[in-house]
Amino acid sequence: MQASERIAVVTGAGSGIGRAVALALLGAGHAVALAGRRRDALEQTASRAASGTRALVVPADVTDEESVAALFACVTAQFGRLDLLFNNAGMDAPGQPIDALTLAQWNAVIGVNLTGAFLCARAAFRQMKTQTPRGGRIINNGSIAAQVPRPRSAPYAASKHAITGLTKSLSLDGRGFDIACGQIDIGNAATDMTQAMSKGVTQADGSVRSEPRFDVRHVADAVLYMANLPLDANVQFMTLAATAMPFIGRG
């Protein structure tokens, strides 16, 4: 590891926001462990990085405690420390009324979005607390659903509201160990997951309307800004959304 190089883990790095953030970190000189369930998708991300950058592909399931432990052990063995975790892996359930949701659908979303974020944050915290020099930064990917939910989105909205609580708790617990924690809440970044929004999304009044999106590179730039702050400064919460989307005053 070079003296000035910082080490990052990005979960959900095989597509969308995770891929964009991982590539931005690599481009800024970080060594980045690309974590996700699908090796082929992670390798595609790594193949898009500029030559000379250090991307480590580590297939991992964030809902599995042993898999998460193996991910962070691999990072420590390869790089010796950890400076940044971008807790990004997430999923949604089909939009439907809560009385139509199955327990399996609820558990799947909570397992990835909340339990997965907890397991990764716990592993990162343990490493950052004990390494020399100690400390590091955890950035949680929330969502504007952490503030204002969409209709028929109970599992996703509940998980993202809980991420806000996790962010605040990590911020408090990390103070004595030079561990900073912040959260970025994103609305309508242009990824495969949001493609349907340009065709039409159900609104709070039951109507269906198309919504604007914005280039995902702006998310990568925002996370990179948060990541590059010294540990005595922190973006606690950032909201980044398409300017004309129905967020302010939703409902």
Side-chain angles (χ1 to χ4, degrees):
M1 184 181 71
Q2 301 171 5
S4 60
E5 187 178 49
R6 286 187 286 178
I7 312 303
V9 171
V10 176
T11 65
S15 63
I17 289 170
R19 173 175 285 174
V21 169
L23 292 174
L25 290 168
L26 286 163
H30 290 69
V32 182
L34 309 173
R37 289 180 175 176
R38 294 175 46 225
R39 177 180 287 276
D40 60 336
L42 299 175
E43 289 177 345
Q44 287 175 22
T45 299
S47 72
R48 298 187 187 190
S51 60
T53 56
R54 293 216 290 168
L56 177 66
V57 171
V58 190
D61 179 356
V62 298
T63 69
D64 183 270
E65 188 173 21
E66 292 184 2
S67 183
V68 170
L71 162 64
F72 284 86
C74 181
V75 172
T76 303
Q78 182 73 25
F79 299 121
R81 65 177 288 110
L82 176 64
D83 299 290
L84 173 69
L85 165 65
F86 182 45
N87 234 343
N88 167 72
M91 66 171 292
D92 199 358
Q96 54 190 326
I98 192 167
D99 57 325
L101 282 165
T102 67
L103 180 59
Q105 289 171 326
W106 172 272
N107 285 340
V109 174
I110 297 300
V112 174
N113 295 6
L114 180 57
T115 304
F118 155 70
L119 290 173
C120 290
R122 183 180 68 174
F125 198 99
R126 285 173 174 167
Q127 175 63 34
M128 293 171 178
K129 180 178 176 179
T130 58
Q131 64 194 8
T132 304
R134 76 177 184 186
R137 188 179 303 276
I138 298 169
I139 301 174
N140 291 326
N141 187 352
S143 167
I144 59 168
Q147 305 173 44
V148 183
R150 291 185 180 277
R152 300 185 171 188
S153 64
Y156 188 80
S159 70
K160 293 304 184 178
H161 275 67
I163 285 293
T164 298
L166 179 64
T167 297
K168 292 177 178 179
S169 292
L170 287 169
S171 296
L172 288 172
D173 293 348
R175 285 180 179 175
F177 306 102
D178 302 314
I179 299 171
C181 183
Q183 178 173 319
I184 183 166
D185 292 333
I186 302 160
N188 291 16
T191 66
D192 289 344
M193 186 177 291
T194 62
Q195 207 163 26
M197 291 180 177
S198 57
K199 298 179 181 178
V201 185
T202 302
Q203 305 297 312
D205 62 3
S207 64
V208 176
R209 296 202 303 270
S210 63
E211 294 188 8
R213 302 187 298 160
F214 67 95
D215 195 316
V216 71
R217 69 185 172 86
H218 299 307
V219 177
D221 290 343
V223 174
L224 191 60
Y225 168 73
M226 296 170 75
N228 282 338
L229 288 171
L231 291 177
D232 61 357
N234 187 42
V235 174
Q236 189 67 67
F237 292 98
M238 178 190 290
T239 301
L240 180 60
T243 304
M245 72 171 292
F247 167 55
I248 301 295
R250 183 189 285 182

